Amino acid sequence: MRIGIFFGGSSREREISFAGGRTVYDNLDKSLFQAVPIFVDSFGNFILLKWEYLYKGSIRDFYPHPQYLPQHGDFADIQIYAESLAEHSSPHQLAEGLGERVLPHQLAEHIDFAFLALHGAYGEDGSIQGLLQFLKIPYSGSGILPSAIGMNKVFQKQHSRRSTRFAVISRRQWHTAAAADLFEHCKKNIGLPLVLRPANQGSSIGVSIIHHHDDAPTFMRGVEQAFFIKRIEQAEWAAKNRQEKLLFIKNLCDIRHQIGLPLYIGDTLLYTPEAVFNAIEAHFLQDTEPLLLEAADKENEVLVEEFIAGKEFSCIVLRDDEGRIVALPPTEIRKGGEVYDYRSKYLAGLSSKVTPIELPDAQINAIRRACVRLFEQFRFNVYARIDGFIRHHDQAIILNDPNTTSGMLPSSFFFHQAAEVGLNPSQFLTFIIRNSLHERAETLSQQPRNAILLQQLDKALEQQKSNPLRKQKIGVVLGGYSAERHISVESGRNIYEKLASSTQYDPIPYFLYGSEQDFSLYQIPINILLKDNADDIAQKIENYHKSPLLERIIAETRPLRHKYGGAVLSAPQKVSLETLAKQVQVVFIALHGRPGEDGHLQSQLQQFGIAYNGSGVDSSQITIDKYACNNLLEANGFAVAARYLAQKTDWQNNAEAFYRLIENKFSYPFIAKPHDDGCSAAVKVIRSRAQLAAYAQLIFRENAELGSSESAVLKLQPKEEFPQKQQFLAETLIQPDADTRLFMEITGGMLVKGNDKQRDFEVFEPSETLANAEVLSLEEKFLAGEGQNITPARFAADAQENRRISEAVRRELQRAATVLGVQGYCRIDAFVKVSNAGAITTYIIEVNSLPGMTPATCIFHQAAIHHYKPYQFIDKIIQYSLERQ
């Protein structure tokens, strides 16, 4: 069955939709379905997307095409969407090369069923559902009316059985009434704290909280934020230097946190960052009045609600094969701040999900019943995600946000709760498709093809159950105890899911945790694999138990497991390497940092004759240590940064002498970073003695807790990983100089077949990395829609010169991999500098022997140019490891 996966769209949640569409594409059961990726662009066009683009980190990595982006000037590195180029380029021109554009009436020629991973306007509000219904194409989830209800938060408030105090501010009202009067009205009728949010947005976009009676200015800013309006005062603008103004404009263009582009200043519609910058400058040269900027993608209503102090939860509700409505075990959301914002939702390690929510069984069942009632009341179909609170002071259940399309990232509530009853993502997607077909067959009886498709799928499921495929056992090891453990879980989960939906492999997940002195390996069930992060998995292993309530819900859903091949959930099992050798034929190490990349685990696997991916012991030991690795590279004629390995003992003996020694070796600014960790953990540009002292105090600290004053000096993000070390690496900050024509940060991957005697290299085209600051952040690497990588890198506008530089860079990367004895695959990060005379210098930053394998990592973009889909790339790595063994 051809499953058209619809993702992207024009909403502010398009990046989450893009990442969710990729998850669905990867996890569809290959023996039942053919996945057809349908990218919905910013202008509402349907594009049969070339699969290569599906694995980009962000929509902006491929659309608009990099040829339309400025390569020079103040805004060359800004992340913009296609709307910013619509003034001078047609939508068809901007989408050229992405794939085949399909008109609505042609969709049925390409797909049998539409799986909707769209969010926001035109995706969740009944619009696309109505179009598909008109075209007689069955689709996933709820129908037209319940989708429209699920999108409109004001309607939900007005028709919920137990609603909290709220008010609605219309855009017209905001522009005509006094802000102070509206604030007083809300305080009087709702009470503090106040929660402000757009009426038609998800992913916590535009949400803020007002605490204080005398905080009218914050209320005003919060309402404007929810309307996607930005007010700029003349004094505020004048106080910024040029770089601060440019950063302000870059942030302003972010559709998740700010108003985005295009935007209005008065009646003038501005499309580009440069046009906005020039307009603001021109205004304040002539006028001192505040300037109002308004998003073209405007919100017309803002919801003002009472703040609910209580446990926050989310619950997936299903209609099963027999027509019964079943609420899965609700999940408690534990977060660091008050608002479960975009960063907390989608960056691994920042929030925690506890399933089932920690409450007495009677209260959990009360939550489930309330969610089922709301599902029925709003006439939802197939599934819904319903969010709410248990209020502290009276234990009341407040349901405040039903969603007819859940986020579909690998560890989202959608998959997380299904795993609690034994369904892996591939099986759960099959369930959603099958029951959506059933819903459409029941409610759209004038479309008989729906019933035929349903019969065909049921028959295929029966055949699959009676004739299971023989698959090769693969152990996937993830977790660890380094600062990179959460990213390791993301990588391992991605490997597991790509193998689990294949016709060739049967992956078994293993979690490694402990300490450098003593670590253990556990075989874990699917429900633990899909916990939010490494710490949650470790905590669940240590305190594993099945509550009687969870056992009852599992019993309720037994028919689903029987039909869709779900697992009987077992407790985590501690596994020795001797046992591991009997359970699997090969191990895929998805660990980052120590252990995993340092050769320790590799040496133990070798003792038991277990094949594994990546480099051997000696190469792993050298590449994990950035100091030793760069020493070796420098000895072999490579360009690397000057470096010094700073010791904790020297700092403890005489901190002043320690600082002076580093200052004598390096001028500010310079780089400080751990010598054996990656993923940007604790990589900082040090600009002053105060920052150097703060860095040393944090990295050499005795306790796990971070000092607040030092964190403030280094401007750490909430819950930012900052490991404790006995050493750190100080390095020269590599920068362009007067003789530099091109300066670029790149990352290049490769496949390496063979061993020490004979190696065959397949070196990929490097990716150009665009960072908002001097150091690429964790968010830019792994937060959906945050970072931007252009593959292949734009070394030069002239094709011949571009090829010359690319070939020189790739030769140098291959030479480095040869010197370091890399096997299997690797990723090398570097700076490329081209002089005015054309001389090319490639500065090696670091070599990753087990690079990140998260869903949109750069190495997948690069492999795609060589026609490897991610599964094929992973399969190649596995085959190389078996051949070597």
Side-chain angles (χ1 to χ4, degrees):
M1 190 186 299
R2 298 171 301 171
I3 307 296
I5 304 163
F6 288 70
F7 59 93
S10 58
S11 83
R12 293 174 180 274
E13 300 176 81
R14 68 186 74 171
E15 294 290 359
I16 297 305
S17 169
F18 175 60
R22 177 173 55 232
T23 305
V24 175
Y25 181 89
D26 281 341
N27 282 281
L28 282 181
D29 187 326
K30 307 296 186 294
S31 66
L32 295 171
F33 306 116
Q34 176 190 344
V36 181
I38 298 180
F39 174 61
V40 184
D41 75 6
S42 307
F43 308 101
N45 294 306
F46 300 116
I47 299 167
L48 293 177
L49 192 69
K50 292 178 180 177
W51 67 263
E52 294 91 335
Y53 296 118
L54 194 59
Y55 295 97
K56 299 292 188 180
S58 160
I59 292 170
R60 291 158 298 181
D61 287 353
F62 66 92
Y63 181 66
H65 191 279
Q67 72 187 52
Y68 295 107
L69 302 178
Q71 287 187 255
H72 307 287
D74 291 324
F75 299 101
D77 61 346
I78 197 166
Q79 301 177 338
I80 60 173
Y81 288 98
E83 298 97 304
S84 289
L85 301 175
E87 187 178 18
H88 301 295
S89 303
S90 73
H92 300 164
Q93 183 184 9
L94 293 171
E96 196 173 336
L98 297 184
E100 181 186 350
R101 180 168 169 260
V102 179
L103 297 175
H105 72 274
Q106 298 171 318
L107 283 169
E109 298 171 19
H110 300 277
I111 64 172
D112 302 308
F113 178 91
F115 196 104
L116 301 179
L118 293 163
H119 296 301
Y122 309 112
E124 291 184 80
D125 61 1
S127 302
I128 188 77
Q129 290 82 358
L131 174 64
L132 291 165
Q133 208 155 295
F134 177 77
L135 296 170
K136 297 183 171 56
I137 298 173
Y139 55 87
S140 62
S142 285
I144 300 168
L145 176 61
S147 296
I149 292 170
M151 189 66 193
N152 192 306
K153 294 178 176 62
V154 173
F155 182 91
Q156 295 163 15
K157 281 287 187 186
Q158 291 166 340
H159 293 83
S160 290
R161 295 179 183 179
R162 186 197 291 271
S163 182
T164 52
R165 296 185 299 275
F166 71 98
V168 180
I169 301 174
S170 69
R171 196 177 191 89
R172 181 188 297 273
Q173 187 180 10
W174 181 249
H175 282 307
T176 56
D181 293 343
L182 290 172
F183 186 38
E184 290 302 319
H185 173 81
C186 291
K187 285 192 295 183
K188 180 180 177 182
N189 292 282
I190 300 173
L192 292 172
L194 298 170
V195 179
L196 311 176
R197 60 173 172 162
N200 294 284
Q201 297 291 334
S203 295
S204 299
I205 290 170
V207 177
S208 58
I209 299 174
I210 312 301
H211 288 277
H212 305 295
H213 281 278
D214 57 352
D215 213 354
T218 305
F219 174 80
M220 181 176 175
R221 284 193 298 272
V223 174
E224 288 181 342
Q225 175 182 306
F227 275 128
F228 304 108
I229 296 171
K230 186 72 176 180
R231 185 184 303 271
I232 309 174
E233 303 286 343
Q234 192 271 342
E236 173 195 2
W237 186 252
K240 299 179 187 295
N241 61 36
R242 183 173 178 80
Q243 285 305 116
E244 289 169 338
K245 288 177 180 177
L246 295 175
L247 182 60
F248 175 89
I249 297 295
K250 289 179 183 182
N251 291 333
L252 189 75
C253 297
D254 190 329
I255 59 173
R256 297 158 304 162
H257 311 296
Q258 293 276 358
I259 64 178
L261 293 172
L263 60 81
Y264 283 97
I265 295 181
D267 294 327
T268 304
L269 185 60
L270 302 173
Y271 289 86
T272 66
E274 188 174 20
V276 175
F277 177 81
N278 292 337
I280 298 172
E281 288 276 82
H283 173 83
F284 287 126
L285 278 175
Q286 302 171 7
D287 205 331
T288 58
E289 287 296 308
L291 191 61
L292 214 61
L293 286 66
E294 300 191 52
D297 173 23
K298 58 181 84 169
E299 186 72 39
N300 289 314
E301 291 180 316
V302 168
L303 195 58
V304 186
E305 304 172 274
E306 66 175 288
F307 179 83
I308 303 167
K311 281 180 180 277
E312 190 170 356
F313 65 81
S314 190
C315 185
I316 300 291
V317 183
L318 313 172
R319 190 183 292 277
D320 71 11
D321 290 11
E322 305 303 319
R324 295 170 299 188
I325 301 173
V326 179
L328 295 181
T331 300
E332 180 182 349
I333 304 159
R334 293 181 180 172
K335 52 194 187 292
E338 294 164 323
V339 179
Y340 188 41
D341 63 12
Y342 191 96
R343 183 172 179 267
S344 297
K345 280 185 176 182
Y346 302 119
L347 186 60
L350 291 193
S351 61
S352 181
K353 297 175 183 150
V354 180
T355 309
I357 185 171
E358 291 185 348
L359 287 170
D361 286 2
Q363 275 189 293
I364 296 176
N365 277 325
I367 290 172
R368 295 176 67 226
R369 286 194 298 271
C371 290
V372 167
R373 282 196 301 271
L374 190 66
F375 188 97
E376 292 176 311
Q377 180 189 345
F378 287 159
R379 301 185 183 182
F380 292 153
N381 312 130
V382 187
Y383 81 97
R385 193 193 84 229
I386 298 172
D387 302 337
F389 292 85
I390 288 277
R391 198 160 52 193
H392 285 323
H393 77 270
D394 62 357
Q395 300 300 291
I397 298 168
I398 310 295
L399 303 180
N400 73 327
D401 194 5
N403 299 267
T404 53
T405 301
S406 177
M408 293 181 189
L409 271 67
S411 64
S412 67
F413 297 112
F414 185 72
F415 296 122
H416 177 92
Q417 291 181 21
E420 290 294 343
V421 297
L423 295 176
N424 70 27
S426 181
Q427 294 156 350
F428 192 47
L429 290 172
T430 301
F431 161 79
I432 294 296
I433 292 168
R434 191 265 171 205
N435 280 277
S436 297
L437 275 172
H438 182 268
E439 176 64 31
R440 305 288 93 86
E442 288 276 305
T443 58
L444 303 173
S445 55
Q446 73 278 24
Q447 298 181 13
R449 177 154 167 73
N450 297 336
I452 294 169
L453 287 169
L454 178 62
Q455 290 168 5
Q456 290 173 347
L457 182 54
D458 281 342
K459 184 178 179 181
L461 284 166
E462 282 299 318
Q463 289 175 342
Q464 188 183 63
K465 196 163 52 177
S466 59
N467 297 295
L469 295 168
R470 292 179 63 116
K471 298 184 179 183
Q472 192 172 18
K473 300 284 186 185
I474 303 288
V476 181
V477 179
L478 61 147
Y481 43 77
S482 77
E484 304 174 71
R485 63 195 180 280
H486 302 309
I487 303 305
S488 167
V489 167
E490 295 279 307
S491 289
R493 197 153 44 203
N494 183 46
I495 298 296
Y496 171 87
E497 291 179 354
K498 284 183 170 61
L499 297 179
S501 63
S502 77
T503 58
Q504 186 175 354
Y505 296 112
D506 180 14
I508 303 171
Y510 296 89
F511 185 76
L512 185 149
Y513 85 115
S515 66
E516 200 164 342
Q517 292 72 38
D518 180 29
F519 60 80
S520 303
L521 198 62
Y522 283 83
Q523 183 181 338
I524 56 175
I526 184 66
N527 60 324
I528 294 185
L529 175 65
L530 292 190
K531 295 300 177 193
D532 225 31
N533 57 61
D535 296 344
D536 282 1
I537 292 175
Q539 192 273 338
K540 196 69 177 179
I541 289 172
E542 291 170 357
N543 303 283
Y544 186 82
H545 70 279
K546 277 189 195 172
S547 68
L549 172 71
L550 193 52
E551 293 281 19
R552 287 196 295 276
I553 298 173
I554 289 171
E556 282 179 49
T557 55
R558 184 175 290 116
L560 296 183
R561 283 189 304 286
H562 177 71
K563 182 162 189 169
Y564 299 99
V568 176
L569 298 174
S570 57
Q573 299 292 321
K574 191 171 183 178
V575 174
S576 68
L577 291 178
E578 187 176 7
T579 302
L580 181 68
K582 297 172 184 175
Q583 293 178 335
V584 301
Q585 293 158 283
V586 62
V587 161
F588 198 106
I589 306 171
L591 299 166
H592 305 309
R594 296 180 188 271
E597 287 190 83
D598 61 356
H600 184 53
L601 182 59
Q602 287 86 343
S603 67
Q604 294 189 334
L605 292 172
Q606 283 181 191
Q607 289 176 28
F608 289 92
I610 304 172
Y612 59 86
N613 57 307
S615 291
V617 176
D618 294 342
S619 180
S620 299
Q621 286 175 341
I622 190 71
T623 54
I624 189 69
D625 187 332
K626 298 180 182 70
Y627 181 69
C629 182
N630 282 359
N631 284 344
L632 178 59
L633 289 172
E634 187 175 53
N636 282 271
F638 289 88
V640 293
R643 63 214 157 276
Y644 173 69
L645 194 60
Q647 304 291 338
K648 181 177 180 178
T649 50
D650 294 340
W651 176 73
Q652 288 173 322
N653 291 337
N654 189 330
E656 177 63 28
F658 175 88
Y659 300 141
R660 279 202 308 270
L661 175 65
I662 293 175
E663 288 168 336
N664 287 336
K665 290 180 178 293
F666 305 96
S667 57
Y668 294 111
F670 63 86
I671 294 285
K673 61 185 178 183
H675 77 293
D676 59 354
D677 258 315
C679 292
S680 298
V683 180
K684 297 294 174 186
V685 177
I686 304 299
R687 300 187 172 281
S688 64
R689 166 66 76 88
Q691 289 187 335
L692 174 58
Y695 190 92
Q697 286 162 351
L698 287 184
I699 204 159
F700 292 149
R701 69 192 186 279
E702 298 294 337
N703 302 317
E705 291 296 315
L706 296 175
S708 56
S709 60
E710 292 84 9
S711 298
V713 170
L714 294 177
K715 299 179 181 177
L716 301 190
Q717 290 265 34
K719 292 192 176 181
E720 183 174 335
E721 287 285 345
F722 209 101
Q724 296 168 260
K725 298 287 182 180
Q726 299 298 310
Q727 304 161 312
F728 74 82
L729 192 59
E731 286 185 340
T732 302
L733 176 62
I734 301 170
Q735 299 180 91
D737 53 32
D739 186 37
T740 302
R741 187 179 82 205
L742 169 77
F743 185 77
M744 182 185 293
E745 183 175 356
I746 61 104
T747 182
M750 64 186 74
L751 277 167
V752 187
K753 182 178 181 180
N755 52 34
D756 292 338
K757 294 177 183 177
Q758 175 64 44
R759 285 191 181 87
D760 294 321
F761 289 89
E762 190 173 358
V763 184
F764 302 147
E765 284 284 352
S767 299
E768 172 186 350
T769 300
L770 302 181
N772 285 325
E774 289 131 319
V775 175
L776 196 65
S777 69
L778 188 70
E779 286 82 356
E780 288 172 307
K781 285 186 176 182
F782 300 110
L783 181 57
E786 184 76 17
Q788 188 172 16
N789 296 282
I790 295 175
T791 309
R794 303 169 297 174
F795 291 119
D798 177 75
Q800 187 173 345
E801 176 65 0
N802 190 77
R803 187 165 55 251
R804 181 184 79 89
I805 299 171
S806 172
E807 288 174 354
V809 170
R810 284 184 288 145
R811 279 196 304 271
E812 200 70 348
L813 299 184
Q814 179 176 326
R815 193 166 73 88
T818 303
V819 166
L820 296 168
V822 167
Q823 294 176 316
Y825 66 122
C826 76
R827 194 194 78 230
I828 302 179
D829 301 333
F831 287 110
V832 175
K833 186 188 285 189
V834 181
S835 72
N836 293 322
I840 303 164
T841 306
T842 302
Y843 294 88
I844 306 295
I845 304 171
E846 64 178 89
V847 179
N848 298 273
S849 62
L850 293 176
M853 299 292 270
T854 54
T857 189
C858 277
I859 205 164
F860 288 147
H861 315 174
Q862 297 161 13
I865 296 176
H866 286 233
H867 310 294
Y868 296 118
K869 290 184 177 181
Y871 169 75
Q872 294 167 325
F873 181 61
I874 294 163
D875 179 52
K876 203 84 168 171
I877 292 167
I878 293 170
Q879 293 308 314
Y880 282 1
S881 63
L882 286 167
E883 288 172 18
R884 182 180 65 193
Q885 183 71 5

